[in-house]
Amino acid sequence: MTTAEDRSPVVAGLLLAAGGGRRLGGRPKALLAHRGRPLVEHAVGVLRGAGCEVVHVVLGASAEVVRERAELPGCVLVDNPEWAEGMGSSLRAGLASLAADPRGVDAALVLLVDQPGIGVEAVARVRAAYGSRDALAAASYDGVRGHPVLFGAGHWAGIAETAVGDRGARDYLAAHRDAITPVDCSDVAEPYDIDTEADLSRLE
């Protein structure tokens, strides 16, 4: 029997792609066009390019339409019927899905679908910060913590307990600030969000 110590650690990509784009006229962010394809496909490609062979994608708004239009082969698609409650519900759903993955996931590398300025190099840097199932790491932009973030499996239960509303893991990370490994990504990525009509100009 293979144990966690006998194999390479599994750092899985966890893409939060459930948002309804309320300030974008109700257009699901996952389906916004970027480089000719849905944004969700771009983000999955970033995670895979950074070395995440296991990728779970949390869907919410218009989940069935996303499944129909986006090509996400090999991904585990997780439906979050409570997506309107905020990012916290999607994070809980994603971590629960990862915990049940038979491949034995050791850490979650969390990326948001609406941050296309964060590419493979930044994600790979944060992924490389994995050291154990107790790891906590986050990208840093000019000293400000951002995404992606890496949660070793030892933290999942605590994160799930505190992930409510739109705060995601913010409260948990604040309480464990000294344990977080900051990974400077200022030179390779821009952590802007696609939230409003004006932001759409950032898509290609």
Side-chain angles (χ1 to χ4, degrees), residues 78-187:
V78 184
D79 284 316
N80 174 22
E82 300 173 346
W83 65 269
E85 292 182 6
M87 189 193 304
S89 65
S90 291
L91 184 56
R92 293 195 307 271
L95 292 177
S97 181
L98 289 177
D101 193 303
R103 290 166 286 194
V105 177
D106 298 291
L109 186 57
V110 182
L111 187 66
L112 307 182
V113 76
D114 67 344
Q115 293 192 320
I118 298 174
V120 170
E121 192 165 355
V123 177
R125 282 187 189 179
V126 178
R127 183 179 183 275
Y130 176 83
S132 74
R133 289 168 68 90
D134 291 323
L136 277 180
S140 175
Y141 301 93
D142 297 321
V144 179
R145 190 177 69 233
H147 285 86
V149 291
L150 183 142
F151 302 136
H155 295 281
W156 294 356
I159 291 169
E161 284 181 11
T162 60
V164 295
D166 270 326
R167 297 188 65 77
R170 196 176 307 165
D171 292 345
Y172 188 87
L173 291 175
H176 295 78
R177 186 178 294 108
D178 293 343
I180 301 170
T181 299
V183 181
D184 185 32
C185 296
S186 306
D187 59 324

Side-chain angles (χ1 to χ4, degrees), residues 18-58:
R22 180 174 50 83
R23 287 181 284 176
L24 292 166
R27 282 175 285 176
K29 292 185 178 183
L31 291 176
L32 294 175
H34 182 58
R35 299 178 182 173
R37 296 300 303 167
L39 202 50
V40 65
E41 287 184 20
H42 170 78
V44 166
V46 168
L47 286 166
R48 292 211 186 283
C52 295
E53 296 180 11
V54 177
V55 178
H56 289 225
V57 181
V58 181

